[in-house]
């Protein structure tokens, strides 16, 4: 007779949720130990434990809430009343982390955090973890975390910032938030949380290997190595598996226990009585030493990866039974019975009462409103209050500070002759630093050197280390830091050295920063102005990675704002608008600075100085979407363009006028996301022919958006042509110009429109 044949039929059940549920009930019914006399509330729950009876009772209840939410989700998923079944079963020990931290310690949580949440809900009166979770499972509009947009663990009052499904992506911003707690003290920023707060960040054992996780560990250690504080508590919930791939035995301990400047603690998350001390030690260490702390929490995974994971199809019943025997709720039940906290009957009654509460909440949640309107879905994605933004962008109540920074009335940049783009961006940044004491500028080489192109020169000297600083060489972490500073109300202005290296870290903006307002239903925001040295035409220098013209990767990020100036005065005014958008509406903004125009002074001929412009006084700004029009009276041809395309098109316009006799209007769009479709349509309507000059790529640039706007407005029948970059990487030296549009290409394209 095989071993399997001796296994009772109920253990072969495909539905492991039912098996685990019955295991608990049977365990309680069959328990044959002798209960101790229940101790006082403050007494150890078991002899020698630092977990008191009171601690245990509440922790166990949080565990039960979490478990029954999981079980409920599995049952109601089939009835289409629940839309998410990744559970927390086996991880309920994380309730200890919640109990031993504060609700003002920002938490960035693993998706198996049901018990952590139930426990954290105790920290404020009048909150109901069961109903809130049920609303979230049901994707109800009333879900307090995301308003029905995703099943996330999140809460505004409890400082749980909702996380997306991308594993490990939250580690950089968790570390960023920890560093921000300390940074806030340095710049005397009024922090929304106490000065001794710590940031908590949990994740799975498989996720610990991810590059995005590793950069956070590395940066945390890099920070501590320099004796700088980084009070982050990394909690690795080690269940030994990631979906179906086992983590090598002891890999997490082997990999992290000896890591320099990442202080390693371990605790048994399967046993509240035994594990509490380790968790408490790790948290105390993190809070008091302000050092990055790694808590290795032993967990297990009960009921598969998610409801759709029928483990029995790929694991043996024996193996499943072995795992299920480690269920931390069985251990908690044993403690409760042994410690005389509940009789068997009381325990089963409690178990059942919480089950009923969860189902009742789920049924109620199912009756609540869903998101049924696209406007509602999108409302928190990209808030925009134009009047307030315009007012804020033009607010110039910092005259005294700028006098000190620029060195006197006669040295104010608006009193000086016209200058090129790099200088005017530099002046604008100085002004913004005067205007916003909470502004921080950081990135690679930005401090003493002033950036690769000296655009940030002088800022470090004027505003010192606490506000202008070099980071380590890691774009993911630069953007993680930005999110951290923003989470605590500062105004981050991160710099990415080249557009190609933004792509290296794109997920931090696409998956994380830009999605925060959406997934938190507008409750959390991480405003920032990300400056990126961008685009091509470096006279053949640098090859593709210093001439990257891929804008599409940014243009398809929901909610992002992209500005791209072609000249210094516009750049200054646009930066003011972008910072105002960040301040007023919490927007995540990208500012693409065309490298080739940084130092460009001339337009038509060497020495003409016609691409230098006067610095606009600080009360001048642009309205988002506002385009610049050259020769607005011209009607024979309109050229839509941006960035390097602007001076090229202006030169080409002269030739076209001479060759074709046409009057040419050139429109510098300036804002690449959102595109001002109404303005595009208006110019297309007013002019006889259309050219689109797009230095992005043929199949993925800005031009497709422009042509679509024209076509949808009904002007697609007009003679129209795109002059675009080729679908290729940019080569080195002179060959670069073969792949990018040039003046002559624009003139030639115009000829075909006659
Ligand atoms: C970046 C990324 N890659 C892949 C996935 C798909 N995925 C979701 S969970 C998971 C396994 C995670 O395992 P672990 O970190 O051990 O957490 P556990 O589920 O075991 O708690 C994978 C591969 C994802 N969500 N994000
Ligand atoms: Mg795992």
């Amino acid at each position: 007779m095989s071993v399997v044949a001796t296994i009772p039929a109920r253990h072969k059940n495909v539905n492991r949720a039912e098996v685990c549920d019955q295991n608990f009930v049977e365990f309680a019914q069959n328990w044959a130990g002798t209960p101790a006399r229940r101790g006082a509330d403050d007494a150890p729950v078991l002899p020698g434990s630092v977990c008191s009876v009171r601690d245990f009772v509440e922790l166990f209840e949080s565990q039960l809430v979490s478990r029954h939410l999981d079980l409920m989700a599995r049952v109601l998923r089939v009835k289409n009343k629940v839309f998410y079944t990744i559970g927390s079963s086996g991880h309920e020990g994380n309730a200890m982390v919640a109990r031993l931290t504060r609700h003002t310690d920002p938490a960035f949580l693993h998706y198996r955090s049901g018990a952590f949440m139930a426990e954290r809900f105790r920290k404020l009166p009048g909150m109901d973890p069961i109903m809130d979770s049920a609303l979230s499972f049901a994707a109800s509009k009333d879900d307090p975390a995301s308003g029905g947009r995703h099943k996330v663990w999140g809460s505004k009052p409890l400082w749980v910032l909702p996380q997306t499904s991308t594993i490990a992506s939250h580690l950089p911003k968790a570390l960023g938030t920890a560093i921000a707690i300390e940074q806030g003290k340095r710049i005397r920023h009024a922090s929304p949380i106490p000065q001794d707060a710590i940031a908590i960040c949990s994740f799975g054992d498989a996720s610990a290997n991810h590059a995005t996780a590793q950069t956070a560990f590395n940066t945390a250690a890099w920070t501590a190595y320099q004796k700088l504080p980084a009070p982050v508590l990394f909690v690795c919930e080690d269940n030994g598996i990631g979906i179906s791939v086992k983590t090598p035995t002891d890999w997490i301990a082997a990999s992290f226990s000896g890591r320099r400047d990442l202080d390693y603690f371990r605790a048994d998350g399967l046993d509240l009585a035994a594990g509490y001390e380790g968790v408490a030690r790790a948290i105390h260490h993190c809070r008091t030493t302000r050092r990055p702390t790694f808590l290795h929490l032993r967990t297990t995974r009960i009921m598969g990866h998610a409801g759709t994971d029928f483990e029995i199809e790929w694991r043996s019943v024996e193996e499943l039974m072995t795992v299920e025997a480690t269920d931390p709720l069985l251990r908690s039940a044993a403690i409760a019975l042994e410690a005389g906290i509940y009789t068997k009957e009381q325990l089963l009654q409690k178990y059942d009462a919480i089950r009923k509460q969860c189902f009742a909440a789920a049924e109620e949640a199912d009756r609540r409103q869903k998101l049924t309107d696209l406007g509602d879905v999108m409302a928190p994605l990209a808030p925009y209050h134009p009047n307030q933004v315009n007012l804020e962008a033009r607010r110039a109540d910092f005259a005294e500070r700028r006098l000190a920074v620029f060195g006197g009335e006669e040295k104010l940049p608006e009193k000086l002759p016209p200058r090129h783009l790099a200088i005017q961006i530099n002046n604008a940044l100085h002004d913004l630093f005067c205007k916003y004491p909470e502004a921080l500028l950081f990135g690679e080489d930005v401090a003493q050197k002033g950036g690769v192109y000296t655009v940030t020169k002088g800022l470090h000297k004027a505003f010192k280390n606490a506000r202008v600083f070099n980071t380590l060489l890691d774009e993911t972490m630069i953007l993680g830091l930005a999110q951290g500073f923003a989470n605590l109300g500062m105004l981050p202005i991160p710099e990415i050295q080249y557009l190609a290296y933004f792509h290296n870290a794109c997920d931090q903006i696409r998956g994380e920063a830009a999605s925060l307002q959406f997934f938190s239903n507008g409750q959390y925001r991480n405003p920032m102005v990300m400056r990126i040295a961008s685009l091509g035409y470096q006279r053949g220098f640098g090859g593709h990675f210093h001439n990257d013209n891929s804008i599409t990767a940014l243009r398809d990020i929901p909610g992002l704002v992209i500005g791209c100036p072609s000249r210094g005065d516009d750049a200054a005014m646009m930066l003011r608008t972008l910072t105002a958008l960040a301040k007023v509406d919490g927007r995540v903004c990208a500012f693409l600075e065309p490298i080739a125009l940084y130092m460009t002074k001339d337009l038509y001929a060497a020495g003409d100085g016609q691409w230098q412009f006067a610095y606009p006084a600080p009360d001048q700004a642009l309205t988002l979407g506002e385009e610049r029009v050259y020769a607005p009276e011209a009607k024979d041809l309109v050229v839509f363009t941006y960035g390097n395309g602007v001076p090229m098109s202006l030169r080409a316009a002269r030739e076209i006028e001479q060759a074709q006799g046409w009057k040419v209007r050139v429109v510098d769009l300036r804002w690449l996301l959102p595109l001002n479709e109404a303005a595009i349509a208006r110019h297309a309507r007013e002019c006889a022919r259309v050219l689109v000059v797009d230095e992005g790529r043929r199949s993925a640039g800005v031009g497709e958006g422009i042509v679509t706007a024209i076509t949808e407005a009904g002007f697609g029948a007009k003679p129209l042509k795109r002059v675009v970059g080729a679908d290729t990487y940019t080569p080195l030296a002179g060959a670069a110009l073969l792949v990018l549009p040039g003046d002559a290409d624009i003139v030639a394209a115009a000829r075909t429109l006659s």
Side-chain angles (χ1 to χ4, degrees):
M1 205 160 65
S2 80
V3 185
V4 178
T6 65
I7 296 172
R10 84 158 184 84
H11 284 283
K12 295 187 211 157
N13 188 349
V14 181
N15 186 336
R16 301 318 284 184
E18 282 176 10
V19 175
C20 293
D21 194 9
Q22 283 163 6
N23 281 352
F24 186 93
V25 175
E26 271 184 18
F27 178 86
Q29 283 168 343
N30 298 338
W31 188 73
T34 318
R37 214 160 59 90
R38 178 184 173 132
D41 278 355
D42 290 336
V45 64
L46 291 182
S49 174
V50 301
C51 179
S52 70
V53 169
R54 186 191 298 110
D55 293 327
F56 175 81
V57 167
E58 294 195 349
L59 284 167
F60 186 26
E61 189 181 72
S62 298
Q63 292 189 309
L64 290 171
V65 165
S66 175
R67 175 60 56 90
H68 277 304
L69 285 170
D70 283 1
L71 294 173
M72 173 274 283
R74 299 291 171 107
V75 174
L76 295 188
R77 171 71 207 103
V78 206
K79 299 186 182 167
N80 234 15
K81 294 185 173 188
V82 155
F83 301 91
Y84 189 89
T85 52
I86 292 191
S88 305
S89 297
H91 287 243
E92 290 93 342
N94 57 29
M96 294 187 282
V97 180
R99 187 165 186 85
L100 288 158
T101 50
R102 308 173 186 153
H103 78 279
T104 46
D105 291 329
F108 303 79
L109 298 179
H110 189 40
Y111 43 75
R112 304 201 191 281
S113 294
F116 179 104
M117 287 302 287
E119 186 63 30
R120 190 168 262 213
F121 266 68
R122 297 179 188 285
K123 307 271 177 184
L124 289 179
M127 298 192 66
D128 180 354
I130 295 181
M131 193 60 214
D132 282 9
S133 303
L135 289 164
S136 176
F137 278 119
S140 165
K141 201 175 160 183
D142 296 344
D143 153 35
S146 80
R149 285 171 190 80
H150 195 18
K151 165 69 196 75
V152 290
W153 296 119
S155 164
K156 179 68 180 170
L158 295 173
W159 275 95
V160 178
L161 293 86
Q163 299 317 309
T164 64
S165 292
T166 318
I167 53 95
S169 287
H170 57 308
L171 273 74
K173 61 181 163 182
L175 173 61
T177 304
I179 291 175
I181 294 168
E182 299 297 324
Q183 195 76 18
K185 298 179 202 169
R186 274 179 226 131
I187 66 165
R188 296 203 175 79
H189 174 68
S191 177
I193 52 175
Q195 300 221 331
D196 64 345
I198 62 173
I200 304 161
C201 178
S202 56
F203 48 88
D205 47 301
S207 307
N209 299 297
H210 200 280
T212 318
Q214 291 285 334
T215 181
F217 303 139
N218 181 61
T219 308
W222 181 87
T223 308
Y225 177 75
Q226 299 170 79
K227 310 241 176 314
L228 295 170
V232 61
L233 179 72
F234 292 119
V235 183
C236 179
E237 299 188 8
D238 185 0
N239 60 18
I241 199 165
I243 302 189
S244 70
V245 181
K246 287 189 184 145
T247 292
T249 311
D250 290 334
W251 166 243
I252 295 296
S255 173
F256 290 95
S257 62
R259 210 140 157 171
R260 184 166 172 174
D261 289 310
L262 187 57
D263 303 342
Y264 176 88
F265 292 77
R266 69 189 309 165
D268 189 352
L270 301 179
D271 185 324
L272 298 178
Y276 206 60
E277 185 178 2
V279 176
R281 281 181 52 233
I283 292 167
H284 178 74
H285 176 81
C286 184
R287 194 177 308 283
T288 53
T289 65
R290 321 300 289 160
R291 281 174 59 80
T293 304
F294 188 97
L295 172 60
H296 182 186
L297 190 68
R298 182 173 165 231
T299 61
T300 188
R301 192 187 72 192
I302 308 288
M303 293 158 48
H305 177 71
T308 45
D309 175 21
F310 296 105
E311 280 187 293
I312 206 154
E313 290 174 359
W314 58 274
R315 290 177 97 171
S316 71
V317 178
E318 291 91 331
E319 191 184 341
L320 284 178
M321 289 173 66
T322 308
V323 172
E324 286 156 3
T326 63
D327 184 345
L329 263 66
L330 300 180
R331 178 64 193 136
S332 291
I335 297 170
L337 294 166
E338 276 168 35
I341 287 171
Y342 301 125
T343 63
K344 286 191 206 184
E345 294 69 32
Q346 285 170 329
L347 177 61
L348 287 168
Q349 264 170 19
K350 182 144 191 93
Y351 190 68
D352 235 44
I354 295 178
R355 183 204 303 278
K356 287 205 180 80
Q357 259 181 289
C358 289
F359 273 90
E363 292 298 341
E364 164 65 17
D366 182 50
R367 287 190 289 273
R368 298 282 191 90
Q369 294 173 285
K370 296 268 192 299
L371 284 167
T372 51
D373 178 80
L374 178 61
D376 279 353
V377 171
M378 292 180 63
L381 174 69
Y384 179 40
H385 296 88
N387 294 340
Q388 280 162 264
V389 170
N390 284 341
L391 275 176
E392 177 60 18
R394 291 165 176 82
R395 180 171 64 80
D397 54 359
F398 48 98
E400 256 175 57
R401 252 171 282 155
R402 62 192 305 262
L403 274 180
V405 164
F406 287 111
E409 190 75 38
E410 70 290 353
K411 291 196 179 144
L412 291 176
E414 63 271 28
K415 305 265 165 76
L416 300 176
R419 299 301 303 272
H420 49 279
L421 179 68
I423 296 281
Q424 302 301 35
I425 293 178
N426 181 276
N427 284 328
L429 289 171
H430 276 86
D431 261 336
L432 289 171
F433 263 63
C434 294
K435 182 169 175 177
Y436 298 106
E438 71 277 26
L440 304 172
L441 188 142
F442 48 95
E444 294 150 18
D445 307 296
V446 296
Q448 292 83 354
K449 179 173 165 64
V452 174
Y453 297 99
T454 64
V455 176
T456 57
K457 204 177 168 87
L459 281 161
H460 177 255
K461 195 159 175 238
F463 299 100
K464 310 288 182 261
N465 261 338
R467 297 186 61 198
V468 181
F469 49 92
N470 293 324
T471 63
L472 77 180
L473 202 173
D474 189 317
E475 287 74 19
T476 300
M477 208 45 240
I478 292 171
L479 297 175
L481 282 171
Q483 291 167 81
F485 295 132
N487 285 336
L488 296 193
M490 288 166 251
L491 175 61
I493 309 182
E495 176 179 302
I496 301 291
Q497 213 159 65
Y498 291 94
L499 185 54
Y501 309 135
F502 163 75
H503 300 313
N504 195 265
C506 180
D507 167 57
Q508 286 298 306
I509 298 297
R510 174 190 304 282
E512 303 300 310
S515 74
L516 183 64
Q517 297 205 76
F518 184 78
F519 287 122
S520 70
N521 199 13
Q523 297 176 91
Y524 283 106
R525 43 192 256 169
N526 47 22
M528 67 178 75
V529 179
M530 168 178 63
R531 297 175 41 249
I532 312 177
S534 303
L535 306 174
Y537 300 99
Q538 265 73 263
R539 300 208 185 111
F541 168 77
H544 176 77
F545 299 92
H546 300 77
N547 288 271
D548 194 333
N549 60 341
S550 166
I551 304 164
T552 307
L554 280 155
R555 284 225 328 123
D556 83 337
I557 297 177
L560 188 73
V561 177
I562 309 176
C564 181
S566 65
R567 44 191 268 184
D569 52 349
D570 283 358
M573 293 189 288
M574 290 169 81
L575 274 170
R576 292 169 193 157
T577 308
L578 291 170
T579 45
L581 275 162
K583 290 305 288 186
V584 173
D585 284 314
R587 301 291 290 273
V588 177
C589 306
F591 193 56
L592 305 186
E593 301 175 1
I595 303 168
L597 297 178
Y598 271 150
M599 304 297 172
T600 299
K601 301 182 181 73
D602 306 325
L603 178 59
Y604 296 110
D608 71 8
Q610 286 201 46
W611 210 242
Q612 302 196 93
F613 298 91
Y615 185 75
D619 60 355
Q620 293 181 42
L622 296 185
T623 297
L624 175 62
E626 198 182 334
E627 77 284 26
R628 179 180 285 281
V629 188
Y630 297 84
E633 70 293 346
K635 293 207 160 90
D636 299 318
L637 170 69
V638 57
V639 182
F640 291 107
T641 188
Y642 63 92
N644 293 288
V646 178
M648 290 194 305
S649 299
L650 289 172
R651 284 191 294 269
R654 271 201 175 176
E655 286 191 46
I656 295 165
E657 286 187 20
Q658 278 160 17
Q660 319 282 130
W662 296 342
K663 295 278 176 238
V664 181
R665 183 184 300 188
V666 174
V667 175
D668 178 357
L669 291 168
R670 299 193 283 209
W671 306 97
L672 306 186
L673 185 68
L675 279 178
N676 186 343
E677 296 187 355
I680 292 169
R682 179 165 43 79
H683 292 294
R685 174 167 52 77
E686 288 173 4
C687 298
R689 303 168 188 84
V690 180
L691 268 186
V692 174
V693 176
D694 174 12
E695 61 190 289
R697 304 204 194 112
R698 169 165 294 280
S699 61
V702 182
E704 318 92 274
I706 301 170
V707 174
T708 305
I710 294 169
T711 309
E712 287 187 342
F715 305 113
K718 294 203 178 189
L720 182 153
K721 193 110 198 176
R722 280 193 300 157
V723 186
V724 290
D727 280 330
T728 176
Y729 296 99
T730 309
L732 201 60
L737 296 178
L738 297 173
V739 311
L740 295 169
D743 300 14
D745 300 315
I746 304 171
V747 176
R751 213 174 293 128
T752 68
L753 297 180
S754 24

